[in-house]
Amino acid sequence: MDHLVTSGAWGLALLQALLYAALGPLLVGWIRKVKAVLQNRRGASVLQPYRDLRKLLMKEARVAHTASPLFRAAPYVVFGATWLAAATVPLVAVDLPTAAIADIIALVGLLALARFFLALAGMDVGTAFGGMGASREMLVSALAEPAMLMAVFTLAMTAHSTNLATVVDYHLTGSIVLRPSFLFAFAGLILVAIAETGRIPVDNPATHLELTMIHEAMLLEYSGRHLALMEWAAQIKLVLYGALIANVFFPWGIARSLWPSAVAVGLVAIVLKLLTLGAALAVAETVLAKMRLFRAPAFLNLALLMSLLGLLSHVILGVRA
Amino acid sequence: MSYDGMALLQQFLLVLAALVLFSAFSLLAQARLVSAIHAFAWQGALVAGVTTVIAVAGRLPHLYFSAALTLALKALLIPWILHRLVRRLELDRHVESLWRPALTIMAAVALVIFSYWLVLPIVEQELTFTRNIVAISLAVVLIGLLMMVMRQQAVIQVLGFMSMENGLFLAAVSATAGMPLVVELGVAFDVLVAMVLFGMFFFQIRESIDSLDVDRLNRLTESRGDGE
Amino acid sequence: MDGALLLAALAVMLALASAAVSLAAAQQPQVLRLLAMPLLGLSGLLALGAGLVALVAGGAVTATLPLGLPWLPWCVRLDALAGFFLAVIGVVTVAVGLYGPGYVRTLEHGRESLSALGVFTGLFLTGMLLVVLADDAFLFMVAWELMSLSSYFLVAFQHEHAANRRAAFLYLLMAHVGGLAILLAFGVLASFGAGFAFDAMRSADPPVAWASVAFVLAFLGFGMKAGLVPLHAWLPEAHPVAPSHISALMSGVMLKVAVYGFIRVVFDLIGQFHWQWGVAVLAVGSVSALMGVLYALMQHDLKRLLAYHSVENLGIIFIGLGLALIFLSAGHGLLGALALLAALYHTVNHAVFKGLLFLGAGAILHSTHERDLEQMGGLLRRMPWTGLFFLVGCLSISALPPFNGFVSEWLTFQAALQAWHLDSGVLRSLIPIAAAVLALTGALAAACFVKVYGVAFLGQARSRHVRRARPVPVGMRAGQGLLAALCVILGILPTGVLTLIGDIPRQLLGGGLSPAAASDWLWLTPLPAEGVSYSAPLVVMLLAGAIGLALWRLRHAAVRRVRRCAAWDCGFAPPTPRMQYTATAFAQPIRRVFGLLFHVDESVESRGHDGTRYQLVVRDRAWGLFYAPVAQVVETAARRVARLQSGNIRVYLGWTLSTLLVLLWIIS
């Protein structure tokens, strides 16, 4: 671990963490822009989410009479946990110390911590909406977790480690391989990412009808800077999953060393990959409609099946003489 | 022989084989009749693809002809016939969901693991990477049979039967580099004739019991008194 | 090392003293909380000390007691495994000792016999300590029986209610059936080892068939005590009806003693490993984990819910043990040690956080006299410390970083991931499937505890007496606080804990994790070659840093104040407590998705002027599928045998004559 303790590596890791926080609103703005263009509108500027966050941060926060101290603490915990989780995913460079702090399983654990507090915050005020959002969110996440872990296992069985830097490295250094297991794990992870980040067809991030909300219902009582932190955390989560999928399955371009030139190339590469993924997500959201809640299990079972097939392909087709 | 050592073509072959397995699952779980026919068409095309790649990698020119035959028959002609049949039977929008989908999929996964375990003792060296494709083809056969057990609609049962035949063809191609051409042609024409006969039978069944639900055929038992 | 054995002996003496002193509680009720409970706590402290010394010092100490039969004296042995379980027992007992005095004060005015409570608690602890220390089958079985019988009396403490008596009877019945299976297992091992002493059994080498018989019997017996599906039916009946601090001891400690028994018999005494055994244990563990958490989600009685979670967590421990058996049978000593350590870590974690949760449930019961989640709400503002500690317990049991539950689940996943080392493709497919089931149970457990904490502590109170809840006495808070602090410490310093328990696989299996694995306090790298690591202290520091950064940046925000207002009500009437989500409502989506696994009876009847009545009954399928048929068979067999009792004296004399003739013939 000695080579990780250099200040340069830690400095770059800090920069990467700040970049995650900065790219979140940009990605969401880009997705909304593409959707607007597909729907024949001009749409708001790509920088609009930044303005929204700034507006919220400057507004007064209102808290209900029945809220407990947990209601006020939850946004900070959610934001902190999601940000820390994002910081461990390689964004521009592979070999950073933050990747060794938490592997994929710890990443899932940190996101689960954020979700736990989010759900508790939803139940805190004592209205029906929060309870409904919390109940639905826990159902979706409970079904998504085995699919995610099965996809992770498929990756880990080939790379022999759950450390993200090792997995990315393995994919980069191996000869270009068309593995069926990776193909299925990719499909499974995409479906899980859609469910976990609350996008159509699982949840509609732009809805205003309480009965169709999952994520929004838990945020209904929040305002001002608390709401800004929660929204920001959701945006960071989207970049997290995007960077995870882009860098694990299409790692070409990521910096293998800490030279500024390599890092610059890595930055350009990841921005291009995220823009492509964002556009693809926008197309999918325009083409598909939101499913009813009780069809989400079928969706997540498909994700689990894909990941399971990935694992089986690895075991059956991964030749061991 | 690890993965990286293989040529690109062989990796592509394994990807196609995995996609065949996926198509067997999607055929099992499809609710809509028309989508099931499309899934079957894709399965045929993928099997033809596997045959072509084996022909290229193993330099076996007669397999090109098998591939072309499979493509024409399984991916184009038979789905077209079924599609026309379905339209004439007015079943275009027929939807029939699977009974206990979670259990059925788990059973299918268990069948895959079982067929892998069965094929393990085949240790011939030259078959090392195609041996695994034999495991997949056995799984496709078993899943086809499972499909015939779990689904009620007659047309879907025929699709299950056809996908069993796909699996057998895949096994033959991967294990022995294809069957002799005469046998191949014979089987192909048999399948075509079977399709035509099935079509006639569908009309006959529908006229006599007014539905294509094979569970209704149990009215034909002796012990039943009158009707239902 | 003799010091450790001395400390352990003192612990046993103090537990017996606590029992003896409680006899006086019949006349003087204060004796129980002033003398007996502190003695119990002190005994726990000594047990903890003995365990820690044994773990640190390494090696094993044996002694022979001047008790028992002349040709079969009782032997005790304190090695690393026994020391670990002594420490587990000790730490929960200390917390119970702190918590007990405040809790039993309310029982002093009741009709139940306080002396019975004190005596049997002391005997219960004595039994558990002796089981862990035993080095021969005789002492083991005597102590096991003592443990089971005294806990029966504790479960039947509030025996006025018929339901409690039924629960206690079921518990007694299953404890004895399990005990019988364990006795038979020892019998098989003793016949090959020529003696009942554990040393004799260790050196014996039974053939595979008989070793498998012993394994199955031991698995049945210890599994029944540990509450594995389908032998778990007594757990959700017995644990809720006992007093809360006893439930904490039973769930937190007694189930672990069953795990100790299993490890001792299978890993130490039998000594052979076969992959079939490992697959069986892995399968049973996975099913228990999943069914346990699903049934827990359907409960709205807080203590019953926690009891079902014990089933789930024991399932997770046995998943780890199953993985260890599989790896050891394939010859991978290092991986087997890793899996075993993961299981042991989860053992101590479960003892700590389950004890904490049961003590919290007891605190709620003490303040509100309420066990039903549907009546609770808003308790965080009435009982802030209990709420905080209970939150720590909920976070730990949901396996969330940086608490202790996460570390043991992480280790279990890492062990499962090493399946790629195995040769068998079937095993390489099945183990990840078991790991996916583990992931599902983890997520469902988090869902369940969001429900529990959200319904009980957050929101608004759903009934009057809950609205007026008072905080609990300092002693009860201290007990919970101790366990909560341990949850945090065990989560942040995993390498320290692994160094401490690293001796156990070395003694049992002859090989452990490499020294590099546990050397660094910052990075947890169980398998240095793989390059996988988790740094809990850094996670905590960075998490605190991120939160602190957000707080600091927002201090300079334009408007810092927070204004109170009414909750959003869509413009209709203000929200009443009845409009909140109930616990049953929260679990409804999951009940619908997993509906096949339960026996659900749902009915809505409209009763005209009286309104509508909605009834939901969720029953355990195991009753219909397993217990009812077994009870049928036993009853029919018993009825057939009962025909021997014809009532005619000449028939009885005839039986006596024929038995005499057969025996004389055999002797000749």
Side-chain angles (χ1 to χ4, degrees):
Chain A
M1 299 285 164
D2 309 316
H3 68 283
L4 297 174
V5 195
T6 60
S7 53
W10 278 105
L12 189 56
L14 184 62
L15 207 64
Q16 183 175 277
L18 291 173
L19 200 60
Y20 265 112
L23 277 180
L26 185 62
L27 182 62
V28 169
W30 166 250
I31 294 178
R32 286 189 199 155
K33 184 76 164 172
V34 174
K35 268 170 84 164
V37 166
L38 283 173
Q39 291 166 5
N40 234 343
R41 302 183 276 124
R42 266 180 44 198
S45 134
V46 178
L47 301 177
Q48 183 61 30
Y50 291 105
R51 296 190 196 118
D52 286 337
L53 280 180
R54 205 182 64 187
K55 171 189 78 172
L56 282 173
L57 284 171
M58 295 203 303
K59 290 202 171 219
E60 180 187 46
R62 297 273 206 124
V63 171
H65 293 296
T66 47
S68 70
L70 189 137
F71 187 81
R72 293 175 64 173
Y76 297 98
V77 176
V78 170
F79 181 74
T82 314
W83 196 18
L84 179 59
T88 63
V89 177
L91 186 68
V92 297
V94 178
D95 216 6
L96 292 176
T98 41
I101 291 178
D103 63 336
I104 309 185
I105 301 180
L107 177 85
V108 171
L110 282 169
L111 289 176
L113 179 69
R115 187 172 41 236
F116 194 88
F117 273 93
L118 181 60
L120 281 183
M123 299 200 71
D124 192 36
V125 182
T127 59
F129 307 116
M132 182 179 74
S135 161
R136 293 174 166 195
E137 172 75 24
M138 298 317 286
L139 172 74
V140 170
S141 70
L143 294 173
E145 190 137 328
M148 169 113 189
L149 232 52
M150 188 64 92
V152 165
F153 271 40
T154 312
L155 295 174
M157 294 275 264
T158 42
H160 297 168
S161 166
T162 49
N163 189 338
L164 272 168
T166 316
V167 172
V168 174
D169 245 340
Y170 179 84
H171 207 166
L172 271 178
T173 53
S175 52
I176 295 188
V177 280
L178 280 175
R179 296 169 184 276
S181 53
F182 270 33
L183 214 65
F184 283 121
F186 173 64
L189 260 183
I190 292 241
L191 295 176
V192 166
I194 291 181
E196 291 265 333
T197 50
R199 313 296 300 188
I200 292 178
V202 176
D203 181 17
N204 188 350
T207 182
H208 299 289
L209 304 170
E210 288 94 359
L211 290 176
T212 60
M213 294 175 175
I214 300 182
H215 183 252
E216 297 296 312
M218 296 184 284
L219 301 184
L220 207 57
E221 284 299 322
Y222 278 114
S223 54
R225 60 180 183 274
H226 298 148
L227 184 59
L229 282 176
M230 289 289 211
E231 294 273 350
W232 206 351
Q235 291 161 354
I236 295 180
K237 195 166 169 180
L238 190 60
V239 187
L240 188 163
Y241 273 103
L244 183 69
I245 291 178
N247 279 336
V248 167
F249 292 103
F250 310 102
W252 308 287
I254 200 169
R256 308 278 302 278
S257 63
L258 298 180
W259 289 112
S261 52
V263 170
V265 168
L267 183 61
V268 169
I270 189 65
V271 167
L272 280 176
K273 289 182 224 172
L274 283 176
L275 290 181
T276 321
L277 277 175
L281 179 63
V283 168
E285 291 206 324
T286 313
V287 167
L288 298 170
K290 177 184 172 317
M291 301 182 296
R292 357 176 342 227
L293 177 71
F294 286 111
R295 296 198 39 149
F299 181 82
L300 290 165
N301 282 341
L302 178 64
L304 178 63
L305 180 64
M306 297 290 239
S307 312
L308 196 57
L309 279 179
L311 176 75
L312 288 175
S313 317
H314 167 76
V315 170
I316 296 181
L317 296 174
V319 186
R320 283 173 73 101
Chain B
M1 190 193 342
S2 83
Y3 228 114
D4 301 329
M6 280 192 264
L8 192 62
L9 213 52
Q10 289 169 334
Q11 294 170 15
F12 188 52
L13 180 62
L14 293 179
V15 171
L16 284 179
L19 287 174
V20 170
L21 185 61
F22 178 61
S23 69
F25 271 92
S26 77
L27 195 52
L28 176 64
Q30 272 302 337
R32 277 187 281 178
L33 193 49
V34 177
S35 312
I37 296 178
H38 292 164
F40 173 70
W42 277 109
Q43 192 179 55
L46 285 168
V47 169
V50 170
T51 317
T52 319
V53 173
I54 292 187
V56 170
R59 276 177 266 280
L60 301 156
H62 66 271
L63 278 183
Y64 286 117
F65 185 66
S66 293
L69 193 61
T70 309
L71 189 70
L73 215 55
K74 293 285 184 56
L76 296 174
L77 188 59
I78 290 183
W80 181 72
I81 294 180
L82 281 171
H83 213 250
R84 242 185 38 162
L85 205 58
V86 159
R87 243 178 306 139
R88 279 177 61 190
L89 289 169
E90 282 146 24
L91 288 173
D92 300 42
R93 302 198 180 280
H94 183 88
V95 170
E96 171 210 319
S97 51
L98 198 54
W99 180 82
R100 305 263 200 263
L103 282 180
T104 317
I105 300 283
M106 282 202 292
V109 170
L111 283 175
V112 174
I113 298 183
F114 178 66
S115 29
Y116 171 68
W117 176 72
L118 269 182
V119 171
L120 272 179
I122 302 177
V123 288
E124 301 180 32
Q125 229 13 56
E126 57 163 284
L127 274 189
T128 311
F129 81 87
T130 43
R131 168 188 72 187
N132 303 317
I133 305 185
V134 172
I136 290 199
S137 44
L138 182 60
V140 170
V141 171
L142 290 175
I143 292 180
L145 198 49
L146 181 69
M147 202 171 132
M148 289 179 75
V149 169
M150 303 299 282
R151 304 298 288 259
Q152 287 173 318
Q153 231 277 348
V155 182
I156 297 196
Q157 296 230 327
V158 168
L159 285 177
F161 172 74
M162 296 272 135
S163 96
M164 277 175 72
E165 211 272 324
N166 266 343
L168 286 172
F169 179 75
L170 188 64
V173 160
S174 57
T176 62
M179 305 178 263
L181 200 56
V182 179
V183 175
E184 178 92 29
L185 283 174
V187 169
F189 279 117
D190 275 338
V191 166
L192 201 53
V193 167
M195 274 313 308
V196 175
L197 286 177
F198 272 126
M200 282 170 41
F201 268 127
F202 285 156
F203 281 105
Q204 186 64 17
I205 293 176
R206 211 213 7 202
E207 265 182 47
S208 52
I209 63 170
D210 222 3
S211 123
L212 274 180
D213 190 343
V214 297
D215 274 353
R216 304 277 214 102
L217 286 174
N218 61 11
R219 282 212 220 159
L220 301 172
T221 49
E222 278 296 325
S223 49
R224 300 261 189 168
D226 21 50
E228 217 45 61
Chain C
M1 254 298 263
D2 261 323
L5 204 50
L6 190 62
L7 282 174
L10 272 175
V12 174
M13 297 294 179
L14 279 178
L16 279 171
S18 158
V21 155
S22 308
L23 284 170
Q27 278 83 34
Q28 301 273 55
Q30 298 95 304
V31 161
L32 189 62
R33 66 180 160 88
L34 288 178
L35 204 53
M37 281 287 159
L39 276 177
L40 204 72
L42 206 56
S43 163
L45 195 60
L46 287 174
L48 175 64
L52 287 175
V53 171
L55 281 172
V56 167
V61 184
T62 51
T64 311
L65 300 175
L67 297 166
L69 300 172
W71 64 93
L72 193 58
W74 287 353
C75 311
V76 294
R77 178 194 176 93
L78 184 54
D79 58 2
L81 184 67
F84 175 73
F85 279 92
L86 273 184
V88 169
I89 298 177
V91 85
V92 179
T93 314
V94 169
V96 168
L98 282 172
Y99 179 93
Y103 188 76
V104 300
R105 199 180 212 149
T106 46
L107 298 173
E108 279 172 15
H109 308 291
R111 286 181 305 171
E112 297 95 9
S113 158
L114 272 184
S115 64
L117 183 62
V119 167
F120 287 115
T121 311
L123 287 178
F124 182 46
L125 185 61
T126 316
M128 288 196 288
L129 290 173
L130 283 176
V131 166
V132 171
L133 287 170
D135 197 32
D136 72 282
F138 187 23
L139 177 59
F140 190 98
M141 289 314 298
V142 168
W144 188 267
E145 274 303 306
L146 183 63
M147 184 177 81
S148 303
L149 276 177
S150 36
S151 50
Y152 163 71
F153 284 110
L154 290 171
V155 168
F157 180 63
Q158 284 161 330
H159 53 82
E160 293 93 33
H161 303 292
N164 295 0
R165 290 198 298 270
R166 265 204 309 271
F169 175 71
L170 179 65
Y171 171 58
L172 187 66
L173 178 66
M174 296 198 69
H176 275 90
V177 172
L180 187 63
I182 298 173
L183 190 59
L184 287 174
F186 278 135
V188 169
L189 287 176
S191 63
F192 283 98
F196 280 98
F198 280 2
D199 273 329
M201 293 186 199
R202 242 172 239 133
S203 49
D205 199 14
V208 179
W210 281 109
S212 299
V213 167
F215 167 77
V216 168
L217 285 169
F219 191 34
L220 268 176
F222 291 115
M224 200 176 280
K225 192 59 150 192
L228 296 176
V229 169
L231 304 169
H232 65 286
W234 62 272
L235 235 172
E237 307 286 332
H239 282 205
V241 304
S244 303
H245 62 296
I246 302 299
S247 303
L249 273 181
M250 284 175 72
S251 222
V253 181
M254 189 178 70
L255 301 181
K256 309 302 171 302
V257 174
V259 174
Y260 164 79
F262 182 79
I263 296 180
R264 179 66 80 191
V265 171
V266 173
F267 284 81
D268 197 15
L269 296 183
I270 297 185
Q272 311 171 8
F273 306 113
H274 303 280
W275 67 267
Q276 294 91 336
W277 299 358
V279 169
V281 172
L282 184 66
V284 169
S286 312
V287 170
S288 304
L290 187 60
M291 296 310 295
V293 76
L294 282 174
Y295 279 115
L297 266 163
M298 300 298 120
Q299 306 302 320
H300 56 88
D301 176 338
L302 183 55
K303 288 176 80 170
R304 222 177 135 93
L305 184 147
L306 290 175
Y308 269 114
H309 269 290
S310 292
V311 173
E312 174 216 342
N313 280 289
L314 266 289
I316 297 179
I317 295 177
F318 275 88
I319 287 179
L321 291 176
L323 284 173
L325 280 173
I326 294 178
F327 284 130
L328 288 168
S329 72
H332 299 287
L334 181 62
L335 302 177
L338 176 64
L340 183 62
L341 282 174
L344 289 173
Y345 208 123
H346 200 79
T347 308
V348 68
N349 284 346
H350 180 236
V352 172
F353 58 58
K354 190 44 70 69
L356 173 60
L357 287 170
F358 263 112
L359 292 184
I364 297 178
L365 195 55
H366 177 99
S367 291
T368 63
H369 303 287
E370 194 58 68
R371 253 166 57 177
D372 188 359
L373 276 175
E374 312 282 27
Q375 306 295 327
M376 300 184 198
L379 282 172
L380 182 58
R381 299 165 97 197
R382 308 291 311 176
M383 303 164 65
W385 284 107
T386 307
L388 177 65
F389 298 139
F390 202 87
L391 181 64
V392 171
C394 290
L395 288 170
S396 306
I397 199 172
S398 311
L400 299 174
F403 295 97
N404 56 352
F406 176 71
V407 178
S408 52
E409 274 212 16
W410 189 83
L411 284 171
T412 314
F413 278 129
Q414 292 301 333
L417 264 177
Q418 303 308 317
W420 64 269
H421 284 280
L422 295 171
D423 284 325
S424 158
V426 177
L427 282 178
R428 272 184 297 142
S429 323
L430 289 180
I431 291 181
I433 293 181
V437 169
L438 182 59
L440 180 62
T441 58
L444 286 173
C448 189
F449 279 96
V450 167
K451 173 185 100 167
V452 168
Y453 200 78
V455 167
F457 283 92
L458 304 176
Q460 305 176 51
R462 292 176 180 80
S463 60
R464 213 184 60 231
H465 46 278
V466 172
R467 221 184 343 260
R468 306 216 194 112
R470 291 167 301 113
V472 289
V474 173
M476 290 169 77
R477 278 183 266 168
Q480 294 176 65
L482 173 67
L483 290 176
L486 265 177
C487 282
V488 174
I489 293 177
L490 287 170
I492 300 187
L493 298 174
T495 43
V497 177
L498 277 181
T499 325
L500 204 57
I501 62 178
D503 225 9
I504 300 179
R506 228 162 277 139
Q507 282 189 1
L508 281 180
L509 311 167
L513 295 184
S514 63
S519 58
D520 207 344
W521 70 276
L522 197 58
W523 305 98
L524 173 63
T525 45
L527 299 162
E530 310 286 329
V532 182
S533 59
Y534 166 62
S535 171
L538 274 181
V539 164
V540 171
M541 287 194 319
L542 289 174
L543 198 56
I547 296 176
L549 189 67
L551 272 170
W552 177 73
R553 286 296 301 152
L554 292 177
R555 263 176 24 149
H556 301 285
V559 184
R560 275 201 56 233
R561 246 183 10 210
V562 154
R563 209 169 359 144
R564 293 274 172 170
C565 61
W568 169 249
D569 56 14
C570 275
F572 296 114
T576 69
R578 286 291 297 148
M579 290 184 194
Q580 298 175 97
Y581 252 52
T582 60
T584 317
F586 193 94
Q588 187 262 356
I590 298 183
R591 184 173 72 239
R592 192 161 147 173
V593 170
F594 289 98
L596 287 177
L597 296 170
F598 314 112
H599 191 109
V600 177
D601 277 323
E602 204 171 348
S603 67
V604 178
E605 60 177 272
S606 128
R607 295 198 282 183
H609 291 297
D610 283 338
T612 326
R613 183 161 172 264
Y614 171 73
Q615 180 172 327
L616 177 71
V617 179
V618 178
R619 274 196 296 264
D620 197 332
R621 269 203 195 275
W623 281 108
L625 288 176
F626 182 73
Y627 290 92
V630 167
Q632 271 295 67
V633 166
V634 169
E635 242 183 285
T636 6
R639 222 165 277 147
R640 296 237 180 93
V641 172
R643 284 200 220 127
L644 281 177
Q645 287 190 314
S646 60
N648 191 332
I649 192 169
R650 288 190 294 124
V651 175
Y652 291 159
L653 286 174
W655 280 114
T656 316
L657 179 61
S658 32
T659 314
L660 189 58
L661 290 174
V662 169
L663 284 176
L664 285 172
W665 177 62
I666 292 182
I667 295 178
S668 71

